[in-house]
Amino acid sequence: MFKVGEYCEEEAKYVASYLKDAGLKVDIKGLVTFQSELVTSLQGRASELRENGRISEKQESLIAAIKVALEKASEEKASEEKDIRDLFMAELDPDWKSKEERIMRLNLEEIDEGAEEELLSSMAFFIMAAHFVSSFLDLNDIKLGEPMERQLEDPVVCIYVDPEDVDPEEPLLRERLEVGLNKIYEVCIDESTSALFEDIDEGFQEEYFEEYMVLMALGLLVEELVEHPEKGRIDIEGFAERCILEAGERFTLSIDASQAAEEIARSLEKKGILKMKGNSIKWKT
């Protein structure tokens, strides 16, 4: 089978529908993949981090803003983390709400490049700030709606750092391996049906141009193998040479499928186009 691409479930079905409509034999396979990242940080009381010169002016502003936000939340009897986040963001940037709304419309309106970069920078900052709120509440065991007692006097703070900038023996050093498991879906086709690429809807050709070009390349190779059979028998090495093709004149499409020759041969054998026996291949007439 030839892999067209990897997609989320809905998009995989969408891509497969185009290919099936053109007559290609399609298979969708679900796979679990993972991503991992080693996160290095310094974690301790704000006073400890200050003594080590590890708290920047920006981080001091975050700590000050979260303290004000939590005090306001206590006065307003806020009990949701979202409410704390909103109060925190307002302390950092009074105009944050309108910026967030503009970010949500970013793909729907035309703005100059400078304004777009500024909004994207704001989005990155908002994401970081939201994570800071969640981490701060967790590290200091703050329960929303309950008295905070003395937790804000010298709070526990987590500061992310470059591992190369920290002594491995640093007592405040924390390392965490974050592993995320995701489900992806592979869309594959039977190689022998790729010759039907010309029947694929133009909508797919435009929306998935790269995938279409690869399907076209495979399809042209299969057409060449089907329409120009070899006389007599050839070995798999000879068939691999047949899987190298150049098509076109002013624009040349250079195709090298020699490494996949055996898979292509088996696909064509299933379609009754040729016969494989050991290392020998013969076209059926």
Side-chain angles (χ1 to χ4, degrees):
M1 299 291 282
F2 170 78
K3 187 173 83 170
V4 177
E6 297 178 353
Y7 313 93
C8 68
E9 184 176 12
E10 288 304 313
E11 189 176 17
K13 292 177 181 177
Y14 180 67
V15 169
S17 67
Y18 272 114
L19 304 180
K20 288 178 180 178
D21 288 346
L24 282 74
K25 184 178 179 182
V26 184
D27 179 54
I28 299 177
K29 181 188 297 183
L31 298 171
V32 176
T33 63
F34 78 93
Q35 292 179 318
S36 64
E37 180 182 8
L38 182 62
V39 179
T40 305
S41 64
L42 294 177
Q43 182 177 308
R45 295 286 174 184
S47 58
E48 294 178 292
L49 292 167
R50 288 190 186 99
E51 288 175 7
N52 292 343
R54 288 292 184 173
I55 295 186
S56 66
E57 184 177 334
K58 180 180 178 180
Q59 289 156 347
E60 290 284 17
S61 68
L62 292 175
I63 296 170
I66 190 64
K67 285 183 177 182
V68 173
L70 286 167
E71 288 170 0
K72 287 184 177 180
S74 179
E75 293 171 2
E76 298 174 12
K77 296 185 173 14
S79 59
E80 298 291 334
E81 187 171 320
K82 178 183 180 300
D83 299 328
I84 305 295
R85 187 207 66 172
D86 290 355
L87 291 167
F88 175 60
M89 299 301 296
E91 287 298 317
L92 294 172
D93 184 354
D95 196 35
W96 80 275
K97 199 66 179 176
S98 63
K99 288 181 180 178
E100 184 180 56
E101 291 172 355
R102 289 191 66 194
I103 289 169
M104 298 299 289
R105 300 196 305 270
L106 197 56
N107 294 327
L108 304 176
E109 60 182 33
E110 292 185 6
I111 61 174
D112 62 67
E113 186 176 341
E116 182 178 0
E117 288 183 4
E118 184 179 345
L119 282 176
L120 291 175
S121 177
S122 295
M123 180 171 66
F125 178 72
F126 294 160
I127 292 171
M128 178 277 295
H131 180 74
F132 179 83
V133 170
S134 180
S135 172
F136 189 93
L137 296 177
D138 183 54
L139 289 173
N140 292 282
D141 195 28
I142 293 174
K143 303 293 190 297
L144 301 180
E146 297 181 5
M148 285 174 280
E149 300 176 351
R150 302 176 62 182
Q151 290 138 300
L152 300 184
E153 289 184 6
D154 190 14
V156 179
V157 181
C158 178
I159 296 176
Y160 295 101
V161 294
D162 186 327
E164 295 183 359
D165 295 337
V166 185
D167 183 340
E169 301 302 320
E170 165 63 57
L172 300 181
L173 178 65
R174 299 289 185 276
E175 291 182 306
R176 183 175 72 254
L177 180 63
E178 296 181 348
V179 179
L181 300 179
N182 304 295
K183 186 78 176 283
I184 63 164
Y185 293 82
E186 284 187 347
V187 176
C188 302
I189 64 161
D190 185 292
E191 292 89 345
S192 65
T193 64
S194 61
L196 297 169
F197 70 90
E198 292 181 345
D199 296 330
I200 299 175
D201 188 272
E202 289 184 3
F204 178 88
Q205 298 179 30
E206 295 174 0
E207 190 173 354
Y208 294 93
F209 179 75
E210 185 175 350
E211 285 93 330
Y212 178 73
M213 291 298 293
V214 177
L215 286 169
M216 180 178 70
L218 180 59
L220 289 172
L221 175 61
V222 169
E223 279 186 350
E224 171 67 20
L225 293 170
V226 172
E227 295 175 5
H228 299 90
E230 197 80 24
K231 294 181 180 179
R233 293 183 176 276
I234 61 172
D235 57 23
I236 192 64
E237 288 76 15
F239 186 80
E241 292 179 9
R242 288 290 309 269
C243 290
I244 300 173
L245 176 68
E246 289 197 351
E249 297 179 0
R250 297 187 64 181
F251 174 79
T252 303
L253 181 60
S254 181
I255 307 161
D256 184 351
S258 56
Q259 297 297 313
E262 187 172 347
E263 287 73 17
I264 293 172
R266 293 192 184 284
S267 176
L268 293 175
E269 182 180 38
K270 290 178 183 177
K271 295 289 287 186
I273 294 167
L274 49 80
K275 177 68 176 177
M276 297 180 68
K277 187 174 182 180
N279 195 43
S280 177
I281 298 174
K282 186 177 188 305
W283 271 253
K284 291 185 176 181
T285 55

